[in-house]
Amino acid sequence: MNRHSGDDQIFKERLGGDARNSWRRHEGVHRCFVLPDVYAGKGTRVEISHPSLADESRYLRNRFGVRPHPALIVFLLAQRQDISENLRISHGRLTHWASAHAGRRTVKIVTGRDNNYDDYVAIRYTDAAARLKSFSAAARECGVSQPTVSAAVADLEATLGTALFLRGRRMLELTSTGTRLLPRIAEVLDAVNALQAESRDLASTARSELRIGFTPLAGAARVAALLDPFTKQHPETRMFFFELSVVELESRLSAGQLDVIIGCGFRRVRTHKRLKLLSDTLVLCSKDAEIEGLTAVQLATASKCCLLLTEDICGLATATRGLFESAGLNLEAYPGRAMSYGALEDWVELGLGSAVMPRYHVRNRAIAHSLQDAVGVPLALEVEAVWKSPLASAEHAASFLTYLHRVAPTFAREMNY
């Protein structure tokens, strides 16, 4: 390919490393964009027109004082995912155009602002601009230039036949129509996000792999032991573990990034299935002189102690507060927060207060006293497995869910979990 003067310098700054090798390595990959030499044999030069091409070309001319090769501009843009998705000219489509117009010197393919996909992109830019009250801030968030955002929003306004923003002010503001339409824009984005999440779910279930998330309360060692019989019976199913907070687990499950989450304190969602796996017996860890000789402590007695709590990432702190609130008891909480169960137990040993903990996580059983309700019934936390309904459509996932229903709870009781 005959490059324009200055292309090597552009390579070095915009791509870094060995520019020439980078170009050769990607030349075949990105030939579905603008690489006229690919179709020289057909006597047809294929060009693509896109709003971002003008932005990039203008930047390169101003920065280097040269006019770069059009193919180089597209190659640079193709390195950015948001732009390459917008260009989205398939190899098959380009071949079709070149073949259909063989003999013509130039065929121009125009893409960017004339289809439903780019209406969605404009809606995404509009939502960002409305949230951030700035086209420049929206451009930074979306990874494009400010003129690209402004032009896309203007095109959307033209399509809708109404202005969405009041321009010319220090801070971008919505018009009255824009304020009324903004919830609809949010609904469109939510619908597309849900579609993408569902697509990821289906893609995951098509592969023989399971992504299992759990809280620190469930514990990596316990989850691995609980699922070990299944992994031995189904070696063809790959299993990936993720230890995260309750909030992060719920978020990733909803986004289709996890298949099953395990822990306690998960919100009830209509489209989610749940199953109790095991009960975590609760104990009061305390070195209080009035409690030290007791084997069991009622909740009312525990409410008189200064209680140590963890940061609420695993659901234990929320569950502890819930126990006392449901019994109509006040909870006196220590001002600080521990980051782990080990730290919580260490604080008890230091005499900073008492702590409600799952017996499974207690190292020193000598300071652990069974926690009971007002009538002497031992208290426990229920550890649940939660998943989205479509998971059962895949054969390997259906086998896993059958294992959770029929084997895991019994196995947990036998293992004294």
Side-chain angles (χ1 to χ4, degrees):
M1 177 178 292
N2 296 322
R3 297 192 182 93
H4 293 197
S5 62
D7 282 0
D8 287 337
Q9 186 181 359
I10 293 171
F11 267 123
K12 290 175 182 177
E13 173 159 323
R14 301 290 275 174
L15 294 181
D18 190 337
R20 290 183 180 276
N21 288 340
S22 179
W23 172 263
R24 295 192 187 101
R25 187 167 61 253
H26 288 84
E27 188 169 4
V29 176
H30 294 292
R31 58 198 239 173
C32 58
F33 297 113
V34 176
L35 296 179
D37 289 359
V38 173
Y39 297 107
K42 297 183 173 62
T44 302
R45 173 190 171 101
V46 182
E47 297 179 356
I48 297 177
S49 174
H50 185 278
S52 297
L53 297 183
D55 293 343
E56 186 75 5
S57 179
R58 191 179 305 110
Y59 169 82
L60 294 175
R61 283 202 307 272
N62 293 337
R63 174 67 181 81
F64 298 102
V66 297
R67 183 175 180 273
H69 196 290
L72 173 58
I73 299 174
V74 179
F75 174 72
L76 294 170
L77 290 173
Q79 310 309 304
R80 292 167 50 186
Q81 184 178 1
D82 60 307
I83 299 299
S84 63
E85 288 177 353
N86 287 345
L87 287 170
R88 79 189 195 296
I89 301 298
S90 69
H91 182 75
R93 179 181 173 191
L94 195 57
T95 303
H96 169 75
W97 272 80
S99 301
H101 299 279
R104 292 178 54 181
R105 301 192 66 177
T106 301
V107 175
K108 290 189 177 182
I109 300 176
V110 180
T111 181
R113 296 177 183 163
D114 57 347
N115 50 59
N116 292 334
Y117 178 87
D118 293 292
D119 285 343
Y120 164 70
V121 172
I123 288 173
R124 185 161 63 88
Y125 293 166
T126 301
D127 175 73
R131 281 188 291 103
L132 302 173
K133 301 186 183 303
S134 165
F135 286 140
S136 298
R140 286 192 295 271
E141 180 179 284
C142 298
V144 296
S145 67
Q146 186 270 335
T148 299
V149 172
S150 298
V153 172
D155 283 352
L156 180 62
E157 289 176 322
T159 300
L160 297 176
T162 185
L164 299 174
F165 293 98
L166 296 171
R167 293 166 172 81
R169 304 187 179 189
R170 172 175 289 186
M171 184 176 292
L172 196 63
E173 295 181 8
L174 288 166
T175 62
S176 57
T177 303
T179 301
R180 292 185 62 182
L181 291 178
L182 189 61
R184 297 292 187 188
I185 289 174
E187 289 175 6
V188 171
L189 293 175
D190 288 343
V192 173
N193 290 337
L195 179 64
Q196 292 172 339
E198 186 74 14
S199 176
R200 283 193 293 267
D201 285 343
L202 294 174
S204 173
T205 54
R207 301 186 296 270
S208 291
E209 65 180 42
L210 290 166
R211 300 160 300 175
I212 311 298
F214 51 86
T215 64
L217 187 143
R222 183 161 53 167
V223 170
L226 194 61
L227 303 182
D228 184 59
F230 177 83
T231 58
K232 288 179 177 178
Q233 293 172 9
H234 300 272
E236 74 285 354
T237 300
R238 299 180 65 194
M239 201 168 291
F240 301 95
F241 287 166
F242 302 84
E243 186 175 75
L244 300 164
S245 69
V246 171
V247 173
E248 185 68 16
L249 287 174
E250 291 178 324
S251 174
R252 294 199 183 191
L253 180 66
S254 297
Q257 297 169 358
L258 292 176
D259 299 311
V260 179
I261 58 177
I262 299 174
C264 68
F266 298 127
R267 292 178 293 109
R268 294 196 171 272
V269 179
R270 184 173 54 84
T271 56
H272 292 178
K273 302 292 185 182
R274 55 203 315 121
L275 170 71
K276 175 185 171 183
L277 290 180
L278 56 93
S279 290
D280 250 340
T281 303
L282 291 176
V283 297
L284 181 71
C285 292
S286 179
K287 298 193 76 175
D288 190 293
E290 296 182 2
I291 294 176
E292 209 163 3
L294 303 176
T295 57
V297 178
Q298 290 193 343
L299 208 56
T301 304
S303 68
K304 299 174 184 177
C305 302
C306 177
L307 289 177
L308 305 168
L309 299 174
T310 58
E311 288 288 353
D312 201 11
I313 59 175
C314 64
L316 179 60
T318 299
T320 300
R321 291 190 185 95
L323 285 174
F324 287 89
E325 288 175 6
S326 61
L329 298 170
N330 293 325
L331 183 151
E332 181 189 348
Y334 181 77
R337 295 290 181 270
M339 289 298 295
S340 66
Y341 303 122
L344 204 59
E345 193 172 343
D346 290 341
W347 289 12
V348 172
E349 296 279 6
L350 291 171
L352 298 181
S354 304
V356 174
M357 292 179 60
R359 185 185 296 275
Y360 173 78
H361 289 286
V362 177
R363 301 187 305 259
N364 182 6
R365 298 295 175 90
I367 62 171
H369 313 274
S370 176
L371 191 61
Q372 300 178 350
D373 64 12
V375 294
V377 177
L379 297 172
L381 288 181
E382 290 190 355
V383 176
E384 297 179 307
V386 180
W387 64 92
K388 294 167 75 174
S389 301
L391 180 65
S393 61
E395 183 178 350
H396 70 283
S399 299
F400 180 70
L401 295 178
T402 299
Y403 172 83
L404 288 185
H405 277 93
R406 297 181 180 178
V407 180
T410 303
F411 185 62
R413 286 193 296 271
E414 291 175 353
M415 296 291 289
N416 197 26
Y417 285 156

